[in-house]
């Protein structure tokens, strides 16, 4: 597995866990009839902070672990991983981003449609967060598939 694939896998894992947290928390709010603005804003804040902090920490730990394992494996104390980017990597990243934006655009359409059909704005904005997280996951899965295909 290449270095870029490992990075994508870490991001996919982080955002999948954050997505799971978001879904479970919103479901709890619906069940307890506490789906009010203050509670939902707290969940949004937690999701945003988790998205930033967890991804950064996971990347640092992954890079450190990969470097340590490769140093032990190659017996080279100054091992540096190859994080160069060529045209293939750029093309895979662009295709994954295109899929992610397309998926998110459809999510925005459905979120706006929910508002048009009389749902409160809180539902619409929650759907925007939902589809944003889901689009990130779909984009990462697409990037992994493209790397596996050799695109």
């Amino acid at each position: 597995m290449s270095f870029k694939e490992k990075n994508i896998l870490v991001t996919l894992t982080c955002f999948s866990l954050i997505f799971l947290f978001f879904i479970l928390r919103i479901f709890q709010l619906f069940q307890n009839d506490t789906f009010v603005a203050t509670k939902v804003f707290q969940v949004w804040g937690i999701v945003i902070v988790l998205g930033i902090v967890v991804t950064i920490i996971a990347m640092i730990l992954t890079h450190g672990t990969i470097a340590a394992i490769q140093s032990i494996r190659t017996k080279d104390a100054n091992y540096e991983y190859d994080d160069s980017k060529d045209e293939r990597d750029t093309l895979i990243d662009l295709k994954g981003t295109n899929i992610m934006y397309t998926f998110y655009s459809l999510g925005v359409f459905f979120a706006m449609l929910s508002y048009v059909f009389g749902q409160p704005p809180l539902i619409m904005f929650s759907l925007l967060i939902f589809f944003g997280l889901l689009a990130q996951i779909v984009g990462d899965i697409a990037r992994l598939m493209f790397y596996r295909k050799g695109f």
Side-chain angles (χ1 to χ4, degrees):
M1 187 178 282
S2 73
F3 178 74
K4 301 250 186 303
E5 287 176 286
K6 290 175 186 173
N7 280 343
I8 293 169
L9 193 59
V10 168
T11 307
L12 177 63
T13 304
C14 289
F15 277 98
S16 296
L17 292 174
I18 293 168
F19 180 71
L20 183 65
F21 168 79
F22 179 75
I23 292 296
L24 291 175
R25 194 68 186 110
I26 293 294
F27 184 69
Q28 285 176 348
L29 292 177
F30 269 121
Q31 272 189 332
N32 298 335
D33 290 330
T34 56
F35 192 76
V36 293
T38 55
K39 299 269 186 186
V40 175
F41 292 157
Q42 287 175 350
V43 173
W44 292 352
I46 291 169
V47 165
I48 291 169
V49 168
L50 282 175
I52 295 168
V53 172
V54 170
T55 303
I56 290 172
I57 291 172
M59 285 295 176
I60 290 170
L61 290 175
T62 302
H63 289 212
T65 305
I66 290 172
I69 290 172
Q70 289 298 334
S71 291
I72 292 169
R73 190 181 296 170
T74 61
K75 296 183 182 5
D76 180 15
N78 297 324
Y79 175 78
E80 292 185 25
Y81 47 84
D82 182 24
D83 62 346
S84 61
K85 195 172 190 177
D86 59 2
E87 291 85 12
R88 177 179 162 259
D89 294 326
T90 304
L91 183 64
I92 288 172
D93 193 39
L94 287 173
K95 285 183 177 186
T97 303
N98 187 16
I99 290 170
M100 183 175 68
Y101 285 164
T102 302
F103 195 83
Y104 186 65
S105 297
L106 289 172
V108 168
F109 172 73
F110 288 125
M112 297 299 161
L113 203 59
S114 74
Y115 185 68
V116 168
F117 286 134
Q119 296 298 319
L122 203 53
I123 298 284
M124 178 187 69
F125 287 116
S126 294
L127 284 174
L128 289 174
I129 300 286
F130 172 84
F131 282 112
L133 291 170
L134 195 59
Q136 179 67 39
I137 292 169
V138 169
D140 285 343
I141 290 172
R143 285 183 189 96
L144 274 179
M145 288 175 43
F146 289 140
Y147 269 110
R148 287 289 161 190
K149 265 171 92 172
F151 250 113

